[in-house]
């Protein structure tokens, strides 16, 4: 095989080296991710903006640390003591993402394990603090939304200054000791039955009041009607009725002045 001239061999080596350099200099960042540049000469520069998604060119002796910067979900099971010292279990979902603008600072100060180093201890501390303010009954029923908001606020105070963006905390479940849960459920059931009984009493009382008002109205109307019906009025109405009946084609016998108060008696055609 014919050997390459020295110049040709050098050019081939140079081309191969150039291809390797170019290959190692191209870094692809996936969608929803960003890169932190680590420079061999000085490490991570906290003031440097992160590398954006797509193709990026870096010196082959430097490296890029990949971070997911879109929203992520962390499931967290925690245990805390209520205000009266009972053990309460919380099942929560934490929605978060790294602070994109401070990604280099996050990596330099906290590293890739920022979730376990910062976020998880923060939410556990906040949960213990908040749960300790409430009784098991409040945790089980009426105060769950308030507890969720308070845990979010306290956790956010810790992580916001540590380059983590906290989006939401969702409490999926609150687990009480079985005996306490049963006692609370019995109490809630009794309260519900009591409210239903009071409602029935109020409804019955209103119905009775309605009947009394209607009866009183009828009595007043009859009283007014009785007071207005004098003998003279009754006689006039009787005469009017007699005249109308006299005009009817039906057979009848009318005896004038034979009835009570001088009113006529009307006999049929029997």
């Amino acid at each position: 095989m014919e050997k390459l001239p020295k110049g040709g061999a050098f050019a081939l080596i140079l081309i191969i080296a150039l291809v390797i350099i170019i290959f190692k200099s191209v870094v692809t960042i996936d969608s929803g991710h960003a890169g932190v540049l680590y420079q061999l000469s000085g490490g991570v520069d906290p003031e440097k903006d992160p590398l954006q998604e797509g193709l990026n060119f870096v010196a082959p002796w430097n490296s890029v640390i990949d971070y997911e910067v879109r929203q992520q979900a962390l499931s967290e099971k925690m245990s805390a003591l209520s205000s009266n010292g009972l053990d309460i279990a919380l099942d929560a979902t934490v929605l978060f993402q790294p602070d994109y603008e401070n990604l280099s600072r996050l990596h330099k100060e906290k590293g890739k394990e920022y979730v376990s180093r910062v976020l998880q201890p923060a939410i556990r501390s906040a949960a213990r603090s908040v749960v300790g303010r409430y009784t098991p009954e409040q945790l089980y029923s009426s105060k769950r939304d308030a507890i969720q908001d308070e845990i979010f606020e306290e956790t956010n105070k810790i992580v916001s200054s540590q380059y983590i963006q906290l989006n939401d905390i969702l409490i999926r479940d609150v687990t009480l000791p079985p005996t306490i849960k049963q006692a609370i459920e019995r109490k809630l059931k009794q309260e519900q039955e009591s409210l239903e009984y009071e409602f029935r009493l109020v409804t019955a009382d209103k119905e009775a009041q309605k009947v009394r008002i209607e009866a009183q109205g009828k009595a007043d109307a009859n009283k007014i009607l009785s007071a207005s019906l004098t003998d003279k009025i009754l006689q006039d109405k009787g005469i009017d009725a007699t005249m109308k009946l006299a005009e009817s084609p039906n057979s009848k016998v009318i005896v004038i002045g034979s009835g009570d108060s001088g009113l006529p008696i009307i006999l049929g055609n029997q």
Side-chain angles (χ1 to χ4, degrees), residues 13-217:
I13 293 172
L14 186 62
I15 291 172
I16 294 173
L18 186 60
V19 170
I20 293 173
I21 290 172
I22 293 174
F23 178 77
K24 294 184 71 66
S25 298
V26 176
V27 176
T28 303
I29 305 295
D30 290 338
S31 179
H33 290 240
V36 174
L37 181 64
Y38 178 85
Q39 297 176 309
L40 186 62
S41 58
V44 174
D45 181 2
E47 301 296 330
K48 193 172 183 61
D49 292 335
L51 301 179
Q52 299 181 3
E53 58 187 55
L55 289 177
N56 294 269
F57 293 92
V58 298
W61 51 85
N62 295 332
S63 59
V64 175
I65 302 94
D66 184 87
Y67 274 83
E68 184 175 5
V69 293
R70 56 193 162 199
Q71 179 172 279
Q72 301 164 60
L74 171 68
S75 295
E76 190 70 17
K77 295 183 181 295
M78 301 168 285
S79 179
L81 297 179
S82 64
S83 61
N84 55 357
L86 291 174
D87 190 41
I88 309 296
L90 297 178
D91 189 359
T93 296
V94 186
L95 303 179
F96 70 97
Q97 60 196 91
D99 184 355
Y100 181 84
E101 299 297 330
N102 292 292
L103 195 60
S104 296
R105 288 188 176 86
L106 175 66
H107 181 75
K108 189 174 183 67
E109 297 181 20
K110 316 300 176 186
K112 290 276 287 185
E113 297 79 19
Y114 69 92
V115 172
S116 60
R117 290 178 178 175
V118 180
L119 185 58
Q120 287 179 315
I123 189 175
R124 290 170 185 171
S125 175
R128 286 193 295 268
S129 175
V130 172
V131 170
R133 303 171 193 161
Y134 295 94
T135 64
E137 185 175 354
Q138 291 172 322
L139 294 168
Y140 184 74
S141 56
S142 60
K143 296 294 183 180
R144 183 172 297 195
D145 290 341
I147 293 164
Q148 182 173 282
D149 294 340
E150 289 181 29
I151 293 176
F152 174 84
E153 294 296 333
E154 294 212 10
T155 305
N156 196 44
K157 288 178 183 177
I158 300 172
V159 303
S160 61
S161 61
Q162 302 195 57
Y163 321 122
I164 300 173
Q165 178 181 318
L166 188 64
N167 297 334
D168 205 355
I169 293 178
L170 307 174
I171 303 298
R172 296 197 304 268
D173 190 31
V174 176
T175 304
L176 308 180
T179 55
I180 301 299
K181 181 180 179 181
Q182 292 169 5
I184 291 173
E185 289 176 345
R186 283 196 301 270
K187 181 180 178 181
L188 292 175
K189 182 179 180 181
Q190 291 171 356
E191 290 177 352
Q192 183 64 31
E193 290 174 349
S194 177
L195 290 173
E196 291 177 359
Y197 180 70
E198 290 179 5
F199 175 76
R200 289 196 297 270
L201 288 178
V202 172
T203 302
D205 183 65
K206 288 183 177 179
E207 187 63 28
Q209 186 177 5
K210 178 183 176 182
V211 172
R212 287 195 298 271
I213 292 172
E214 290 177 350
Q216 185 64 44

